[in-house]
Amino acid sequence: MGGSAASTSGAPAAAVVEQGSVTLAVRVTPKSSKTALAGIMSMPDGRNVLSVRVAAPPVDGAANAALIAFFSKSLGVRKSDVTIASGEGSRLKILRISGDGQQIAERIRAMVGET
């Protein structure tokens, strides 16, 4: 297995495992009572995304920072390993999580209760 080809086989819902990272589709709901994973949701176009609620408001990047902190802590990676690849000003975001793609995918599966 070589190259940088993306793979969804064995990947949790809403994630694409790549060499050295995982790309994850997330829908964020700011100003919630607490920061937590809300589950997997189906978008109107048929894509699955992780739904995450964050307590922070969508002001001055606070919700984005809370989202990055949540995934950093939940997946056991540094905050600098979690970046918003697209959707910084949107509720729908694409996160890129750097590190061992297979290991990160396993942790995401455990978060969402997939086996």
Side-chain angles (χ1 to χ4, degrees):
M1 177 184 270
S4 61
S7 169
T8 55
S9 64
V16 176
V17 178
E18 300 171 309
Q19 186 174 356
S21 70
V22 171
T23 302
L24 187 62
V26 178
R27 185 173 189 286
V28 180
T29 303
K31 293 183 3 181
S32 294
S33 60
K34 66 178 183 172
T35 299
L37 180 66
I40 299 171
M41 91 185 304
S42 247
M43 299 302 290
D45 63 5
R47 289 185 298 165
N48 286 331
V49 299
L50 288 184
S51 177
V52 178
R53 295 186 173 115
V54 295
V59 177
D60 297 328
N64 288 340
L67 181 68
I68 288 170
F70 170 75
F71 276 101
S72 171
K73 182 177 181 182
S74 298
L75 299 174
V77 298
R78 297 174 306 199
K79 287 182 185 177
S80 62
D81 289 336
V82 182
T83 57
I84 299 174
S86 69
E88 207 164 293
S90 170
R91 285 182 182 230
L92 185 60
K93 301 178 188 305
I94 304 297
L95 299 182
R96 181 158 291 117
I97 304 156
S98 299
D100 181 327
Q102 293 300 325
Q103 189 176 56
I104 293 167
E106 288 174 19
R107 292 175 185 163
I108 294 168
R109 274 193 295 276
M111 278 176 67
V112 298
E114 291 182 3
T115 55

